[in-house]
Amino acid sequence: EAGVTQFPSHSVIEKGQTVTLRCDPISGHDNLYWYRRVMGKEIKFLLHFVKESKQDESGMPNNRFLAERTGGTYSTLKVQPAELEDSGVYFCASSQWRTQNYGYTFGSGTRLTVV
Amino acid sequence: AQSVTQLGSHVSVSEGALVLLRCNYSSSVPPYLFWYVQYPNQGLQLLLKYTTGATLVKGINGFEAEFKKSETSFHLTKPSAHMSDAAEYFCAVNPYNQGGKLIFGQGTELSVKP
């Protein structure tokens, strides 16, 4: 079974530019989550999709961030325009079940550097 | 708001020594509790979890953790460290009635000396 795939693995962009991160969840997993770890801080929840619907987007930092999951398959997270404080590692995770009884599977993350 | 505290951002042990990584959470209602591990250039991997039932939970690679409600703790242990255990470890909670959202601690980098 293929795992959760994220790309790119690394991205370096200039302040003010746009970047789109992609996450391919495990096939059949309805639940998809985005998390972010800013340097030196804890991993923080951004949002949760159930299929194509946003179940919880309480962690999205501001309106420069836009997440989509068209057709309930892969998801994208766009940052526009990027700021220096957006640098960090963005993780995606997926699970078949909504509750945490079973844990979820994380991708390897995208390391975003804004210069 | 819920929070998770991992005591010590860096822990160093000798190979063969006991590994103890501490985790405390703040919650009036016991949440689901997890430990994840991240090896270099890899994603987060679930080590073990506590949901209900037995409070001593065994995970992969010889790790175990004990849920202590009275202490709001979920410390991770391994009797004998191996060089391959060097990684970053994260304690996380899934608060009651908040869907699948995880709240993480700041992580503990474990180094194992030969």
Side-chain angles (χ1 to χ4, degrees):
Chain A
E1 174 183 76
V4 176
T5 305
Q6 291 186 248
F7 49 94
S9 56
H10 294 82
S11 180
V12 181
I13 62 171
E14 292 185 353
K15 177 182 171 180
Q17 288 187 322
T18 297
V19 63
T20 300
L21 313 181
R22 174 167 166 152
C23 169
D24 285 47
I26 292 172
S27 178
H29 281 194
D30 288 341
N31 295 278
L32 187 149
Y33 304 83
W34 283 99
Y35 286 82
R36 175 174 77 167
R37 189 183 193 194
V38 170
M39 181 82 72
K41 300 283 185 79
E42 67 272 25
I43 300 169
K44 284 198 171 180
F45 169 83
L46 296 178
L47 86 160
H48 170 204
F49 283 100
V50 177
K51 297 185 180 178
E52 66 275 10
S53 299
K54 292 176 185 174
Q55 182 71 23
D56 181 354
E57 52 184 330
S58 60
M60 294 289 264
N62 51 61
N63 59 10
R64 295 186 294 103
F65 289 75
L66 174 64
E68 295 180 321
R69 191 182 182 193
T70 308
T73 54
Y74 71 91
S75 175
T76 58
L77 180 65
K78 181 190 288 189
V79 185
Q80 178 182 29
E83 298 288 346
L84 298 179
E85 65 263 25
D86 300 332
S87 296
V89 181
Y90 290 76
F91 293 102
C92 174
S94 72
S95 71
Q96 187 174 4
W97 308 103
R98 184 177 302 196
T99 68
Q100 267 293 322
N101 279 11
Y102 305 96
Y104 32 70
T105 303
F106 279 87
S108 299
T110 294
R111 183 174 295 278
L112 174 64
T113 303
V114 182
V115 297
Chain B
Q2 294 260 358
S3 66
V4 178
T5 303
Q6 291 183 239
L7 188 62
S9 57
H10 291 88
V11 170
S12 182
V13 300
S14 298
E15 193 172 19
L18 171 73
V19 175
L20 170 60
L21 304 183
R22 298 177 188 273
C23 173
N24 287 86
Y25 65 91
S26 66
S27 174
S28 57
V29 177
Y32 293 163
L33 298 154
F34 303 82
W35 277 97
Y36 283 87
V37 60
Q38 187 181 23
Y39 298 103
N41 301 316
Q42 295 187 29
L44 293 156
Q45 180 181 359
L46 181 65
L47 263 182
L48 49 78
K49 65 182 185 292
Y50 171 79
T51 54
T52 58
T55 57
L56 182 62
V57 181
K58 294 187 185 300
I60 61 172
N61 301 335
F63 284 93
E64 60 183 37
E66 186 171 12
F67 167 57
K68 292 187 177 181
K69 183 179 176 181
S70 60
E71 298 177 8
T72 60
S73 70
F74 192 55
H75 302 331
L76 181 71
T77 60
K78 181 174 181 177
S80 176
H82 192 273
M83 297 296 289
S84 61
D85 294 328
E88 190 161 19
Y89 292 79
F90 297 90
C91 181
V93 304
N94 172 221
Y96 176 73
N97 207 25
Q98 288 201 28
K101 178 192 300 186
L102 288 178
I103 296 173
F104 284 87
Q106 289 199 311
T108 298
E109 185 85 37
L110 175 67
S111 301
V112 182
K113 299 175 291 186

